[in-house]
Amino acid sequence: MKKVSLSRFTICIIVVAALLGGAALAFIFINPGVVGFLNSDGTVTISRDDYDYLVRVNDDFGVLSELKEEIEREYYLPVSEEDLLVSAKKGLVDGLGDIYSSYYTAEEYKTVSQGMLGTYEGVGMVMTPTDDGRIKVQKVYSGSPAEKAGVKADDIILSVDGVEYSGDQLDLAATNIRGDAGTSVTVTFLSDGEEVTRTMKRAKVNIETVEWEAREDGIGYIYISNFETKTSDEVKKAIKELTGCRGLIVDLRQNPGGLVDEAIDTADLFMD
């Protein structure tokens, strides 16, 4: 029979369960989704399917537990277990090789979500990764701190408060550029071939994701910069105001995406 070396976390659960069982026989939880039966001689009986599952878990992730313990034991500086585990989770998603797929901690998710509510606190610019692994300013909101500081679309972000970021660290860079209104952030850009450092005071930024106009040729033009809360409502308003036009152009160029539900609701406006 193949021996399964359970992680320290799993073993702790078994020991505590055995101590608290208070009887010769007791059910214990070994791992999420796995229930064992504690025998009078201290052994644990589980189903064959659960055993096979634990073997697969050990084969796939046991080395991570061993590596973490090796780092904690041998690394010359104290390490944070939480930081190691978060990095491992991020690395698992990074393994997809997809710049649009990321793992967020609860705090990071909260920050990212704020930018999809139609208003947030920051400097007022939309960023996107480039094909060569850098971060580019895609759009600067009118009246924002970024616009007042002279930031332009297509500027390349080199560093934030002295820390350099690459394209695959876009979310982390954005998190550090955002912040409470009234605080400052210093960003170094590559603008028109020159390095320029700009210090901006963060403020509350209202995000306008939809712009529209009736052109002189009778064609209505709708530009959607990204899909956030109320984007579909704004598109519906644009369509209503452009009813008299003989045709519509819906411009999605440089749109990085956003809320899936809003994108679906927007598409439904143009489909029977």
Side-chain angles (χ1 to χ4, degrees), residues 2-267:
K2 184 174 182 179
K3 182 180 180 182
V4 181
S5 176
L6 300 178
S7 70
R8 183 168 55 188
F9 176 71
T10 301
I11 293 174
C12 286
I13 294 177
I14 295 175
V15 172
V16 171
L19 292 175
L20 296 180
L25 300 175
F27 286 105
I28 61 173
F29 292 96
I30 297 176
N31 221 40
V34 179
V35 178
F37 194 76
L38 181 62
N39 303 312
S40 58
D41 61 357
T43 61
V44 177
T45 301
I46 60 175
S47 71
R48 182 69 202 189
D49 288 343
D50 285 344
Y51 173 80
D52 292 339
Y53 165 75
L54 290 176
V55 169
R56 290 195 302 271
V57 169
N58 183 72
D59 289 344
D60 291 341
F61 301 105
V63 66
L64 291 179
S65 179
E66 295 174 6
L67 183 58
K68 181 177 76 68
E69 291 178 359
E70 182 74 12
I71 291 173
E72 291 172 336
R73 184 172 57 252
E74 300 294 343
Y75 192 61
Y76 75 102
L77 292 175
V79 295
S80 165
E81 181 179 39
E82 181 180 359
D83 289 346
L84 290 177
L85 293 177
V86 168
S87 296
K89 295 171 185 176
K90 287 182 177 292
L92 189 63
V93 179
D94 288 345
L96 296 172
D98 180 3
I99 60 175
Y100 297 107
S101 297
S102 302
Y103 171 84
Y104 296 121
T105 63
E107 187 61 32
E108 289 169 344
Y109 178 75
K110 179 181 177 181
T111 300
V112 172
S113 297
Q114 288 176 347
M116 296 184 178
L117 298 177
T119 182
Y120 79 104
E121 294 183 350
V123 300
M125 58 185 182
V126 179
M127 299 170 290
T128 187
T130 64
D131 292 336
D132 60 355
R134 299 192 291 181
I135 300 174
K136 180 179 73 173
V137 177
Q138 181 174 323
K139 178 180 179 178
V140 178
Y141 290 110
S142 176
S144 67
E147 184 187 57
K148 294 175 182 177
V151 180
K152 306 188 301 294
D154 294 329
D155 284 354
I156 300 296
I157 294 175
L158 301 177
S159 66
V160 180
D161 285 333
V163 179
E164 296 182 0
Y165 295 96
S166 57
D168 59 358
Q169 297 174 306
L170 171 63
D171 294 324
L172 185 58
T175 297
N176 286 288
I177 290 175
R178 296 189 183 101
D180 295 334
T183 61
S184 296
V185 60
T186 299
V187 182
T188 299
F189 299 90
L190 181 64
S191 181
D192 297 327
E194 296 183 2
E195 285 194 18
V196 181
T197 299
R198 307 186 191 279
T199 298
M200 298 166 280
K201 181 175 288 188
R202 300 180 179 100
K204 185 175 181 179
V205 179
N206 292 316
I207 303 172
E208 300 294 338
T209 62
V210 183
E211 302 172 8
W212 65 90
E213 66 174 351
R215 303 192 335 185
E216 294 182 358
D217 58 2
I219 299 295
Y221 174 81
I222 302 175
Y223 175 67
I224 306 174
S225 61
N226 50 322
F227 295 99
E228 297 175 356
T229 302
K230 298 183 178 180
T231 293
S232 59
D233 290 338
E234 289 297 300
V235 174
K236 185 183 297 184
K237 181 180 178 181
I239 293 174
K240 183 177 180 180
E241 293 190 9
L242 298 173
T243 299
C245 295
R246 61 186 179 88
L248 285 177
I249 294 175
V250 180
D251 190 351
L252 297 176
R253 287 176 297 177
Q254 297 185 321
N255 184 319
L259 298 175
V260 175
D261 289 344
E262 284 296 317
I264 293 174
D265 290 344
T266 298

